[in-house]
């Protein structure tokens, strides 16, 4: 993870996920969650800001390569494809019942939201995207997205929906055996098996992620005929941001990338081990988009959280910018930014720790606008002034 406090939290979550989910009075977690759902609160997802309605579907992919975590198996992945569509079909659930049952006790635990399990009706909460809506005709630039270490792709649905509404095919990827939980067809749930942060474990994770993203891009023509694979971006949060950069080093099909608040190193609990994106840079556009941890910030001028951004900066050979979200915390770069303020049971102290003190509306708008402006500039070749001077509350351009 990019930040120590986030790594600690997700390590705790992983330990919970890879053990037995808690039982009370002999009842399963699924039964407990379903019993609580009548009293649970649904959340409201942010409206999309682009001109297009949005459709979405999940896809199960199987690679020919051996799985790095289980070499006796072929590598299997789950992805979500979100795309410009006609406004037909039912709104997609934020989480499926099986995924919510497996993860709500973990997400709600004292290590994370610290609220009673079943407080939030995750399955009743609806995305802006519609399930299997008919795709709009035409071809749209493609953006692949990788979540943070042990984080689920499902918690970046809001960003995917918004970018798709602006004319992109967005593909979010779960990294099997590392993501918190991955749900495969038939209700098969695969939890994380990452138990430590040794450098060799972290290196295995980043190598697996790069191979995953390259494989997914190769599968896109058969997944969605509207995906233009001649105009491809990649983005990621935390370890996913490192994934975006490292993938660009190894695959020239990716034209532009964004690292959202992620250290670009696989050091783990060992000595500093920067990635090739740091030591070599790339000759294509790359954006750094950082947040705060208390009085410290993740930027190329502050090395208190990681050296990797500062080391990357002089080695980057293509277009580069460093955009900072003042008063924004690490996990505010996920759907928790809009979700946490709607959960009354989350304490003010935990809210600040998770998503910072920036106004959630300002944060969401800034994130969506800057991500879209970057890809508009480099994949659609549309001009923007957002990288010339800051135009959003909380946004600062780091020189």
């Amino acid at each position: 993870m990019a930040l120590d406090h986030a790594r600690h939290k997700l390590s705790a979550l992983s330990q919970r996920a890879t053990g037995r989910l808690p039982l009370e009075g002999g009842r399963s977690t699924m039964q407990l969650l379903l019993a609580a759902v009548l009293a649970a609160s649904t959340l409201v997802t942010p409206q999309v800001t682009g001109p297009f309605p949005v459709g979405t579907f999940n896809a199960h992919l199987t690679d020919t390569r051996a799985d790095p975590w289980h070499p006796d198996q072929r590598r299997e992945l789950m992805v979500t494809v979100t795309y410009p569509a006609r406004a037909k079909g039912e709104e997609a659930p934020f989480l499926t019942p099986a995924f919510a049952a497996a993860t709500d006790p973990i997400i709600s635990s004292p290590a994370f939201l610290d609220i009673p399990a079943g407080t939030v009706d995750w399955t009743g909460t609806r995305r802006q995207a519609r399930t299997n809506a008919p795709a709009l005709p035409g071809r749209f630039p493609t953006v692949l997205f990788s979540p943070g270490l042990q984080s689920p792709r499902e918690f970046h649905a809001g960003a995917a929906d918004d970018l798709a509404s602006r004319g992109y095919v967005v593909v979010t990827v779960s990294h099997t055996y590392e993501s918190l939980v991955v749900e495969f067809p038939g209700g098969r749930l695969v939890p994380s098996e990452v138990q430590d942060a040794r450098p060799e474990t972290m290196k295995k994770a980043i190598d697996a992620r790069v191979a995953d993203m390259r494989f997914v891009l190769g599968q896109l023509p058969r997944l969605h005929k509207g995906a233009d694979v001649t105009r491809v971006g990649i983005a990621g949060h935390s370890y996913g941001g490192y994934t975006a950069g490292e993938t660009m080093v190894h695959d020239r099909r990716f034209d532009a990338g964004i690292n959202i608040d992620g250290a670009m190193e696989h050091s783990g609990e060992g000595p500093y081990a920067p990635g090739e994106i740091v030591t070599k840079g790339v000759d294509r556009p790359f954006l750094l988009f950082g947040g705060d941890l208390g009085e410290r910030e993740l930027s190329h001028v502050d090395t208190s959280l990681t050296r990797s951004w500062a080391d990357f900066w002089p080695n980057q050979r293509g277009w580069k910018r460093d955009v900072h979200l003042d008063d924004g915390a690490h996990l505010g770069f996920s759907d928790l930014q809009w979700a946490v303020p709607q959960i009354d049971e989350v304490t003010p102290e935990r809210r600040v720790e998770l998503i910072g003190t920036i106004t959630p509306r300002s944060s969401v708008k800034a994130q969506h606008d800057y991500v879209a402006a970057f890809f508009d500039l480099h994949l659609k070749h549309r001009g923007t002034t957002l990288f010339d001077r800051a135009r959003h509350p909380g946004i600062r351009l780091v020189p």
Side-chain angles (χ1 to χ4, degrees):
M1 292 293 291
L3 305 177
D4 290 341
H5 81 299
R7 180 188 296 147
H8 173 76
K9 284 184 180 298
L10 286 176
S11 176
L13 295 184
S14 176
Q15 291 170 15
R16 294 283 297 279
T18 54
R20 297 291 182 184
L21 292 174
L23 302 177
E24 296 181 14
R27 293 191 294 167
S28 70
T29 300
M30 174 70 87
Q31 290 171 319
L32 288 170
L33 187 62
L34 293 178
V37 76
L38 292 178
S41 299
T42 57
L43 307 180
V44 178
T45 57
Q47 293 290 317
V48 296
T49 55
F52 302 116
V54 179
T56 191
F57 64 87
N58 296 322
H60 176 202
L61 306 177
T62 303
D63 199 352
T64 56
R65 65 189 159 109
D67 190 288
W69 306 99
H70 284 268
D72 59 324
Q73 303 173 7
R74 292 170 66 188
R75 182 67 165 169
E76 293 182 87
L77 298 172
M78 287 300 298
V79 304
T80 298
V81 182
T82 307
Y83 53 91
R86 303 190 188 280
K88 295 182 179 180
E90 296 183 0
E91 291 178 333
F94 183 67
L95 300 182
T96 66
F99 188 89
T103 58
D104 179 74
I106 304 169
I107 297 165
S108 301
S109 71
F112 205 60
L113 294 180
D114 195 17
I115 59 176
T119 296
V120 178
D121 180 7
W122 299 107
T123 60
T125 297
R126 296 288 157 172
R127 290 174 55 184
Q128 298 296 309
R130 296 179 180 272
T131 302
N132 295 317
L136 286 180
R139 293 171 64 77
F140 300 91
T142 299
V143 175
L144 274 62
F145 184 89
S146 175
L149 186 73
Q150 298 178 317
S151 297
R153 75 185 191 281
E154 286 83 352
F155 274 78
H156 295 275
D161 290 352
D162 189 78
L163 189 58
S165 79
R166 301 187 191 217
Y168 290 86
V169 175
V170 183
V171 186
T172 52
V173 181
S174 284
H175 302 286
T176 312
Y177 295 114
E178 183 229 286
S179 293
L180 181 62
V181 176
V182 182
E183 181 182 2
F184 287 93
R188 176 167 59 104
L189 298 173
V190 177
S192 170
E193 295 188 5
V194 175
Q195 297 285 357
D196 60 70
R198 294 180 299 166
E200 53 267 36
T201 302
M202 303 295 280
K203 185 64 166 63
K204 179 190 283 190
I206 192 62
D207 289 346
R209 283 164 161 264
V210 170
D212 289 348
M213 303 307 275
R214 300 181 70 185
F215 166 66
V216 170
L217 180 56
Q219 297 296 301
L220 265 180
R222 73 173 183 84
L223 280 179
H224 188 72
K225 65 181 182 180
D228 185 350
V229 294
T230 68
R231 294 181 291 166
V232 180
I234 185 169
H237 173 238
S238 196
Y239 219 62
Y242 180 19
T243 302
E246 210 70 353
T247 302
M248 287 187 67
V249 171
H250 292 277
D251 197 326
R252 295 196 61 84
R253 293 177 298 170
F254 292 87
D255 301 302
I258 305 178
N259 176 356
I260 303 172
D261 212 41
M264 297 184 287
E265 56 179 291
H266 48 272
S267 312
E269 296 169 346
Y272 180 55
E276 290 184 70
I277 181 63
V278 174
T279 59
K280 297 179 179 178
V282 290
D283 59 1
R284 285 147 286 151
F286 201 77
L287 174 67
L288 303 177
F289 199 167
D292 292 332
L293 177 57
E295 297 299 317
R296 298 180 291 169
E297 69 177 32
L298 190 56
S299 73
H300 76 275
V301 298
D302 186 339
T303 60
S304 61
L305 296 174
T306 177
R307 286 175 46 191
S308 59
W309 284 29
D311 291 347
F312 158 81
W313 198 250
N315 294 328
Q316 168 60 3
R317 291 165 283 130
W319 184 101
K320 63 184 178 185
R321 295 290 189 280
D322 186 343
V323 174
H324 193 78
L325 186 66
D326 287 336
D327 303 319
H330 188 59
L331 293 173
F333 289 99
S334 72
D335 287 332
L336 291 180
Q337 180 66 83
W338 55 259
V340 167
Q342 299 181 57
I343 307 171
D344 292 338
E345 291 79 3
V346 176
T347 65
E349 294 79 13
R350 183 56 57 91
R351 171 176 166 164
V352 170
E353 183 181 1
L354 292 172
I355 64 171
T357 59
I358 187 172
T359 304
R361 183 186 299 273
S362 297
S363 176
V364 169
K365 180 170 176 51
Q367 291 180 49
H368 290 176
D369 283 357
Y370 269 88
V371 168
F374 173 81
F375 287 124
D376 282 353
L377 178 62
H378 298 295
L379 299 183
K380 295 182 178 180
H381 306 292
R382 293 180 179 173
T384 178
T385 60
L386 289 185
F387 300 105
D388 299 327
R389 62 185 181 90
R391 294 179 177 272
H392 290 65
I395 288 292
R396 175 166 47 89
L397 305 182
V398 183

